[in-house]
Amino acid sequence: MLWAKRCVVAAHSLCGPLQVDRVRFRGDAGSTRNPGIRGAVLANALPKLVGAKACRCWYLPINLGVAATMGRHDLPSDYTDEELRDYMKAILADFHALERMLDEDRFETGVRRIGAEQEMFLIDRSGRAWCGADAMMKRLAHPQFTYELAQYNLECNLSPLVFGGDCLSKLETETRDLLHKARDAATELGGAIVISGILPTLRRSDLTLASMVQNPRYLALNNAMAQLRGGEFNFRIKGVDEFEMLHDNVMLESCNTSFQIHFQVGPSEFAKLYNVAQAITAPVLASAVNSPLLLGRRLWRETRVALFQQSVDSRSAVHQMRGRRPRVSFGDAWMRESVLEIFREDIARFRVMLAAEQDESPEAVLDRGGVPNLSALRLHNGTVYRWNRPCYGIGDGVPHLRIEARAFPAGPTVVDEVANAAFFFGLMSAVSNEFEDVSRVMQFDDAAGNFVAAARLGMQANLTWFHGKEYAAHELISDVLIPAARAGLEHQKLDSADIDRYLGIIGERVKRGRTGARWMLDSLTAMGDKGTKEQRMHALVRALVSRQQKGDPVHTWDLADTGEFDGWKESYLQVGQFMTTDLFTVHPEDVVDLAASLMDWRHIRHVPVEDNEGRLVGVVSHRSLLRLVGQGMRRSDRKPVAVKDIMRTNPVTVMPNTPTLEAIEKMREHKVGSLPVVEAGDRLVGIITERDLIRVAAMLFEKHLREASAE
């Protein structure tokens, strides 16, 4: 066992901070981790949003405990008011037990450990999301891998390490080794893995409940959040492009993957160090941004921050108008004295959404000298999500506390991730050594504002630092924070070679202005109009995969190019892969002259007609306009003609997932030159025309001829 052969089941990265499930394995008769259970680990089949994790060897000493509540698959998906009231009583009992444990000094102190969790995407050979989690878990059969919310995600959990010596290079080596195992398993199954904050090739069709890991607890949480909202989830994010979408489930959360890092602290220093983590998160994030794209739109440099808040936002419209804090937040103020402040606030602010079988009375456990699981308190906090969250765990019968930093994205490479961690850990040490109380040198609003600015703009952000001094992010990092982080790591007696290597990567990244987000955006700019948008996104993912396998840090990468994409045939199998989405449409009550002008200006032959709700109601064709012209459309004495009077109603349509061959047959059968593309409720999302099919045929023919001549 690592750390006295301990292994525990941790609540997922989005779960509540109090994580206490104890689990045994390696032949232990009491093990919850039984390879014979449905071909996988019971604890591995736990919910991303509220379930427990697999035995994560990083957590060994500083983690959770019993899979009794978090690992259950038979928990009900609906709860009565009486059940929720009973569970609130259990939450309060756990809270009072935690308070007693702090008063009686029952926590581990004098130890500093670090750890991490690596999330990843599973992709197919063309670079699209691949729902292969079940097959991967069966093939891997490894205790450090676990499920995520979606079937196209996995996570591996790193071993806990004492903060000192060669801990950083050990963290890098173990992460590489685990990703190598995952890569080999994926290759054997016909897929691949990629680490990226958001997968550029994700589509809306990937974000359905069919892609969710099949666990009743996921659906329960999804339903509870939808009920609290009183309707659909509304997403709106503005960047270079604008993203706006209504969605009926929480699956947009699965677009996000991260490299979460942990820092063990003592109870008496928790408030001080938690405040330090809050203060330094923004500049570290600014240097680490790696998620600029969502469903083809260029948004924030770290779009995960905005997307995650909106994807699990359970506030109703009334609560939003009233200014109620969302469940995902940076916080409202500095901590003053104790970790209890966070739990008091979250219990007071957020309703119970889920319940489970209750533990033995925590007071009774404490009375006989034991350590309670606090499962109810943990589960409630599993539905409240802070970017820096407190975590509770048990190791060798001794409880501990740690801070989990969750804002940093997965990728672009392992060495980039460990460099980000080194920067964060170094600043934790340096700032806490220099300032007894960071709240005396920085306003909380500045820390919170810095966080949003860093997520939006990365190293182009302006940040307000200590004593109100303002910096460009890149200047603050290079001139002030890298030297401070170096001093902090040296104070902890880390290997000098590791310090030079990892902080050197941060320095070069800042010097060249090349974060993962910047590399993606610059690559897309360099590609210009080559291929379709989908092909450019696929080329980006293929470039990510190849460069990650080499392992060089992102600041050394060449830009991606469409030449790196070889899935040309797979790019045109469905109409959603090449349909035109930048649509020019008219309303039924518009004058026909507008439709004619659009055809002339945009060189198009078909104009969709949609109502005020974006629903397709007809199509105006070039032929129908010619017929009208023949009837004297341009005579000065003719009254204006409305679009509704000449449009073709009930047009033949297809959906984004309609096979291209089927679309071609429809065009032939109905003798039409275009097919509007709609989703449920006749919502117009695109159009394909004969011109599009000719363009696709030409590109494939050219590709075929080039390959033939090369042979």
Side-chain angles (χ1 to χ4, degrees), residues 106-389:
R106 296 204 184 194
F107 284 88
E108 183 177 26
T109 60
V111 180
R112 186 79 74 225
R113 297 186 182 92
I114 64 169
E117 308 165 52
Q118 174 72 73
E119 298 173 349
M120 68 200 78
F121 283 100
L122 307 179
I123 56 174
D124 61 21
R125 64 184 300 269
S126 70
R128 283 202 55 198
W130 166 47
C131 290
D134 286 335
M136 284 286 291
M137 289 297 295
K138 184 176 181 180
R139 181 62 61 96
L140 285 164
H142 194 287
Q144 287 176 262
F145 285 88
T146 183
Y147 287 97
E148 287 286 315
L149 173 64
Q151 296 182 48
Y152 45 76
N153 298 137
L154 277 186
E155 177 179 295
C156 58
N157 303 289
L158 289 305
S159 305
L161 300 163
V162 173
F163 186 37
D166 61 351
C167 64
L168 294 175
S169 55
K170 285 181 177 177
L171 180 64
E172 180 186 355
T173 298
E174 185 181 20
T175 307
R176 286 185 186 278
D177 289 346
L178 289 171
L179 287 178
H180 184 71
K181 292 179 186 297
R183 189 173 291 115
D184 286 348
T187 300
E188 293 170 3
L189 294 168
I193 65 167
V194 66
I195 51 175
S196 178
I198 297 176
L199 183 65
T201 51
L202 279 172
R203 299 180 190 166
R204 181 167 180 166
S205 58
D206 296 319
L207 307 177
T208 67
L209 295 181
S211 297
M212 183 182 284
V213 169
Q214 298 304 298
N215 186 306
R217 182 60 65 82
Y218 291 121
L219 187 58
L221 187 66
N222 180 79
N223 292 343
M225 287 195 169
Q227 289 171 10
L228 287 174
R229 281 188 62 86
E232 294 182 306
F233 293 85
N234 185 17
F235 297 87
R236 179 175 296 175
I237 307 172
K238 291 186 178 181
V240 175
D241 301 321
E242 184 172 351
F243 174 74
E244 187 167 359
M245 187 173 91
L246 287 175
H247 203 52
D248 61 358
N249 61 59
V250 299
M251 281 294 288
L252 264 89
E253 195 281 327
S254 69
C255 296
N256 304 314
T257 62
S258 60
F259 186 73
Q260 299 162 11
I261 53 180
H262 294 248
F263 195 71
Q264 184 174 338
V265 302
S268 63
E269 61 182 353
F270 190 93
K272 171 185 175 178
L273 292 177
Y274 186 86
N275 287 344
V276 171
Q278 293 281 80
I280 68 173
T281 292
V284 177
L285 179 62
S287 69
V289 289
N290 191 40
S291 312
L293 304 168
L294 175 63
L295 302 186
R297 273 89 162 181
R298 298 161 297 172
L299 302 171
W300 292 14
R301 295 297 189 270
E302 193 53 46
T303 304
R304 288 172 48 256
V305 170
L307 180 61
F308 182 41
Q309 177 173 320
Q310 296 182 32
S311 63
V312 291
D313 188 354
S314 61
R315 296 175 299 168
S316 66
V318 171
H319 290 151
Q320 292 182 44
M321 289 285 291
R322 208 165 68 200
R324 174 178 286 189
R325 199 186 78 190
R327 287 180 179 262
V328 177
S329 79
F330 187 77
D332 295 324
W334 298 117
M335 288 187 64
R336 292 303 173 190
E337 296 179 356
S338 167
V339 66
L340 294 173
E341 297 167 28
I342 290 179
F343 298 115
R344 286 194 193 103
E345 180 177 5
D346 290 347
I347 292 171
R349 285 185 179 274
F350 301 108
R351 292 181 57 190
V352 176
M353 292 200 302
L354 300 173
E357 182 179 335
Q358 297 178 24
D359 293 332
E360 178 185 2
S361 165
E363 290 293 334
V365 175
L366 289 173
D367 287 343
R368 65 169 182 264
V371 179
N373 293 322
L374 307 181
S375 299
L377 183 59
R378 178 196 53 179
L379 181 58
H380 176 64
N381 281 279
T383 63
V384 182
Y385 318 102
R386 293 174 179 266
W387 289 109
N388 289 305
R389 72 170 188 177

Side-chain angles (χ1 to χ4, degrees), residues 658-669:
T658 299
T660 302
L661 287 176
E662 181 181 326
I664 293 172
E665 289 300 323
K666 278 195 172 187
M667 283 187 171
R668 287 174 177 165
E669 177 185 352

